[in-house]
Amino acid sequence: MVGFILARTFRAILVLIFTVTLVFIVLRLSGDPAQQMLSDSTSPEALAAFNAKWGLDRSIFEQYLFYVANALRGDFGISFADGREVFTVVSERIPKTFALTVPAFILSLLIGIPAGIIAAMHRESAVDKGVMAGAVLGYSIPNFLLGLVFIFAFAVWLRVLPSSGSSTWRHAILPVATFALYNAAAVARFMRSTLIDVLGQPYIAAARADGVPNIEIILRHALPNAAIPMVTTLGFVAGGLLGGAVLVEPVFAWPGLGTGFVNATSTGDLPVAQAMVLLFTAFMVVINLTVDVLYVVLNPKIRKQ
Amino acid sequence: MSKLLTVRDLVVEVPSRRMKIIDGISFSLEAGQTLGLVGESGCGKSMTCYAVANMLPRGIERTGGSIEFERDPSKSGRAADPTIAMIFQDPTSSLNPVHTIGYYLESALYRNQGLKGNDARLEAMRLLERVGIDRAKSRLRAYPHQFSGGMNQRVMIAHALAAKPQLLIADEPTTALDVTMQAQILHLLEELKAETGMALIIVSHDLGVIARLADHAAVMYCGKVVETAPVADLLQRPAHPYARALIDCMPSIDPADLEPPVPIPGSVPLLDSLPKGCHFHPRCSRATGECTALFPSPSAIGRVHEASCYHPVAA
Ligand SMILES: Nc1ncnc2c1ncn2[C@@H]1O[C@H](COP(=O)(O)OP(=O)(O)OP(=O)(O)O)[C@@H](O)[C@H]1O
Ligand code: SF4
Ligand SMILES: [Mg+2]
């Protein structure tokens, strides 16, 4: 098991190095940085000084090492937009995005998992149909549209909640609700189908025939098995939450990474955009690694080999 | 001897498709006796077992007939019914992959005998040793996927024993196992039967298994019991042409027996398009017009020997 986790960690690091390299290549292919940053009338001496300062006069391989070394130190250069360090610009947005995605993730588990379990336990009953109708509804409305509906209902019409900004916790309610509802629907659907699948396995029928009480069947026999595929699904949900930040945050003018990324790409702030791409990749890599590790921890078939 | 189990006119259906899987079968079993259920795949052997053990799957229901157990007069409610345990054809998929063998046995011992902690562990080890698994202590920490099919079948038997059953239902317990393992498991079942005095229902499509373990056998075809007889009678004097055909297609290992096995012509009809009258008539060489009209009711062939056929094979 330790070997497996080490192998997965090694793979995660490879993915990160690959992404850093890819970003470097795309950046160099997109044009000469000196020409992009400086005006056409810059003197040749100034150009040479600029190239020397950023190492652009070295070989492409040296430049690559230079770039990786800087990236490892968290130095992604200066934002074109406001001249501040990219590191500062990006890192002050991270807590804002977590302030939405972490509560949304927890809420979607707290709502989605029990709803899915109850639906699966009362399969084909009115409860099941109600839960699933709600889930289909929540799942089929696009994130940002749901956000707009919420703004209209609670901010414009009822006037009980603010529609944009991030100054108080009340500002977080609508974006968190938007995120959580959509993802709770996804979690509920997967939880239900996974549990129904497990409940149809021969070992569950055998346990029932043994007279194991229903509550114990669900908690001790079915759920530990359902948890294994669920971990993968929850990894997708967590990744989807971070990706969804790009869609949902701008709707609420929430100053997180999503809004930052949309701004950076639309104004051509390349250093900020590339740092954010790397950051999103790093998040995904960490999520995948967590999923892989949990998958092994929960699954004796892999753990005990 | 007292009847432990009496099944009368049992009907099991798939209500959504109005399809009868078991169509009015009757049999009985005395305490400590062994009943063999035999027949081709799909004839309803497993469903009969599930109905008796009250574990029919979702969407399949018992819609008629009765299943009566001999009740213990000193107890009331469900507790007065005899304890039934069941083992299955595919032991590995009948064991929960996330639980250890120890958890499986110890939780059964707690449920059935109230044993906990160290007492439960010691008893679980004793049961494992009883079914022929050595190094029992370390095996308790193993998971089903670490065991072979034969070992898992032994674990299932140990688990069944934890319930101290008066009736063990073994649904094709050796079908998925290799020949040597089959013989060992059958031997173990024989021993345990003698030791505990439990009754046994053994299901197999292999008449050899039935011949070895059962006292009495019921031959099933398309959801009906077509012949019941003491095992020796059935093997020597099968009355129903289907039973006869089953015996003839059994390969013999006796080198003096030069007759090659004869396969049964045709195939088992589908449940939703059963032939009218005797369901076997399209495959039966003795069939007459009578056979295609009405299902034959059982008639006595000998003492406790019955067959449902208009033209039984003469002894
Ligand atoms: N869920 C179901 N819905 C409809 N028909 C079913 C269902 N499960 C089983 N059947 C049918 O019920 C019949 C009896 O099945 P059963 O499992 O009892 O057969 P069997 O005699 O045990 O066969 P085998 O030797 O293959 O185990 C089969 O024809 C099968 O097609
Ligand atoms: S009743 Fe007729 S068709 Fe059926 S087994 Fe007997 S002889 Fe054959
Ligand atoms: Mg079967």
Side-chain angles (χ1 to χ4, degrees), chain B residues 14 17 19 21-22 39-48 50 57-60 89 171-172 203 205 271:
Chain B
V14 185
R17 291 164 57 189
M19 186 173 81
I21 291 179
I22 301 293
E40 277 167 290
S41 187
C43 66
K45 305 180 297 290
S46 297
M47 289 303 157
T48 306
Y50 295 154
R58 265 186 90 82
I60 299 182
Q89 173 169 348
D171 185 1
E172 311 215 25
V203 171
H205 53 252
L271 281 179

Side-chain angles (χ1 to χ4, degrees), chain A residues 209-233:
Chain A
D210 277 357
V212 179
N214 199 32
I215 184 82
E216 207 181 316
I217 295 263
I218 299 289
L219 294 180
R220 302 218 56 172
H221 292 256
L223 284 180
N225 282 285
I228 299 165
M230 273 312 278
V231 160
T232 313
T233 303

Side-chain angles (χ1 to χ4, degrees), chain A residues 197-207 225 301, chain B residues 50 88-98 104 144-145 147-149 152-153 156 176:
Chain A
D197 185 52
V198 170
L199 288 175
Q201 296 297 314
Y203 54 80
I204 297 291
N225 282 285
K301 280 193 189 169
Chain B
Y50 295 154
F88 306 89
Q89 173 169 348
D90 181 358
T92 305
S93 69
S94 301
L95 292 168
N96 197 324
V98 303
Y104 182 60
H145 74 271
F147 279 10
S148 68
N152 278 334
Q153 193 60 286
M156 293 226 71

Side-chain angles (χ1 to χ4, degrees), chain A residues 93-208:
Chain A
R93 285 178 180 270
I94 294 176
K96 290 286 183 191
T97 290
F98 279 171
L100 292 192
T101 47
V102 172
F105 185 69
I106 294 170
L107 263 182
S108 24
L109 299 193
L110 288 182
I111 301 169
I113 288 181
I117 293 175
I118 289 168
M121 283 174 67
H122 305 277
R123 191 176 161 192
E124 248 100 81
S125 71
V127 185
D128 179 24
K129 288 185 178 136
V131 169
M132 279 309 106
V136 168
L137 198 70
Y139 198 68
S140 45
I141 303 176
N143 253 332
F144 64 92
L145 195 67
L146 192 63
L148 290 175
V149 170
F150 277 170
I151 290 180
F152 180 77
F154 294 99
V156 179
W157 189 47
L158 292 173
R159 295 177 175 280
V160 288
L161 288 169
S163 68
S164 67
S166 70
S167 42
T168 70
W169 64 269
R170 295 180 69 241
H171 287 85
I173 293 179
L174 286 184
V176 166
T178 305
F179 260 149
L181 229 63
Y182 178 82
N183 287 290
V187 171
R189 278 166 44 129
F190 280 116
M191 188 67 236
R192 176 184 182 272
S193 61
T194 309
L195 192 56
I196 284 178
D197 185 52
V198 170
L199 288 175
Q201 296 297 314
Y203 54 80
I204 297 291
R208 284 198 203 285

Side-chain angles (χ1 to χ4, degrees), chain B:
Chain B
M1 217 180 277
S2 62
K3 291 262 185 275
L4 179 72
L5 165 70
T6 311
V7 174
R8 277 195 206 93
D9 302 317
L10 175 69
V11 179
V12 172
E13 279 185 84
V14 185
S16 59
R17 291 164 57 189
R18 311 192 67 217
M19 186 173 81
K20 281 186 181 163
I21 291 179
I22 301 293
D23 188 7
I25 70 172
S26 303
F27 59 85
S28 62
L29 179 60
E30 283 164 8
Q33 295 283 95
T34 298
L35 172 73
L37 289 180
V38 65
E40 277 167 290
S41 187
C43 66
K45 305 180 297 290
S46 297
M47 289 303 157
T48 306
C49 296
Y50 295 154
V52 171
N54 195 21
M55 59 173 292
L56 285 170
R58 265 186 90 82
I60 299 182
E61 281 166 31
R62 188 177 119 200
T63 52
S66 64
I67 299 173
E68 276 166 32
F69 297 106
E70 179 197 43
R71 291 170 65 80
D72 180 344
S74 66
K75 293 179 189 149
S76 66
R78 283 203 61 182
D81 285 338
T83 317
I84 303 176
M86 187 157 174
I87 61 176
F88 306 89
Q89 173 169 348
D90 181 358
T92 305
S93 69
S94 301
L95 292 168
N96 197 324
V98 303
H99 289 314
T100 59
I101 304 301
Y103 174 86
Y104 182 60
L105 293 177
E106 285 164 36
S107 62
L109 285 166
Y110 176 68
R111 252 194 327 279
N112 291 294
Q113 301 180 27
L115 295 181
K116 275 193 262 193
N118 213 32
D119 293 344
R121 190 153 49 253
L122 287 175
E123 179 62 9
M125 279 165 58
R126 194 191 66 81
L127 286 176
L128 278 186
E129 272 155 17
R130 178 60 200 90
V131 298
I133 293 179
D134 56 354
R135 295 193 286 121
K137 195 169 177 187
S138 67
R139 308 289 198 177
L140 286 178
R141 286 193 303 273
Y143 287 87
H145 74 271
Q146 295 171 295
F147 279 10
S148 68
M151 291 246 282
N152 278 334
Q153 193 60 286
R154 288 174 196 272
V155 170
M156 293 226 71
I157 295 172
H159 173 263
L161 291 178
K164 297 196 187 275
Q166 279 112 300
L167 170 61
L168 176 66
I169 302 178
D171 185 1
E172 311 215 25
T174 59
T175 307
L177 308 178
D178 65 53
V179 195
T180 40
M181 191 60 84
Q182 277 185 18
Q184 289 175 11
I185 296 286
L186 291 180
H187 181 69
L188 176 64
L189 286 175
E190 273 174 330
E191 277 181 2
L192 291 173
K193 224 181 69 175
E195 230 171 83
T196 64
M198 66 186 175
L200 180 67
I201 295 181
I202 176 118
V203 171
S204 185
H205 53 252
D206 180 352
L207 267 168
V209 171
I210 303 290
R212 176 159 176 189
L213 283 182
D215 304 300
H216 211 81
V219 180
M220 292 186 68
Y221 189 72
C222 296
K224 295 261 193 192
V225 168
V226 295
E227 180 162 1
T228 57
V231 166
D233 279 7
L234 181 74
L235 291 174
Q236 285 153 26
R237 292 180 288 280
H240 196 282
Y242 176 64
R244 174 81 204 243
L246 272 185
I247 293 168
D248 285 345
C249 70
M250 235 180 22
S252 170
I253 49 165
D254 179 0
D257 185 355
L258 294 175
E259 278 176 60
V262 189
I264 309 178
S267 57
V268 184
L270 293 175
L271 281 179
D272 40 19
S273 54
L274 285 181
K276 233 176 101 57
C278 171
H279 304 322
F280 190 56
H281 76 73
R283 302 170 78 184
C284 182
S285 58
R286 305 169 75 88
T288 60
E290 202 179 2
C291 304
T292 60
L294 204 68
F295 192 88
S297 45
S299 53
I301 303 295
R303 213 178 60 81
V304 292
H305 186 167
E306 284 185 346
S308 300
C309 175
Y310 293 114
H311 315 292
V313 185

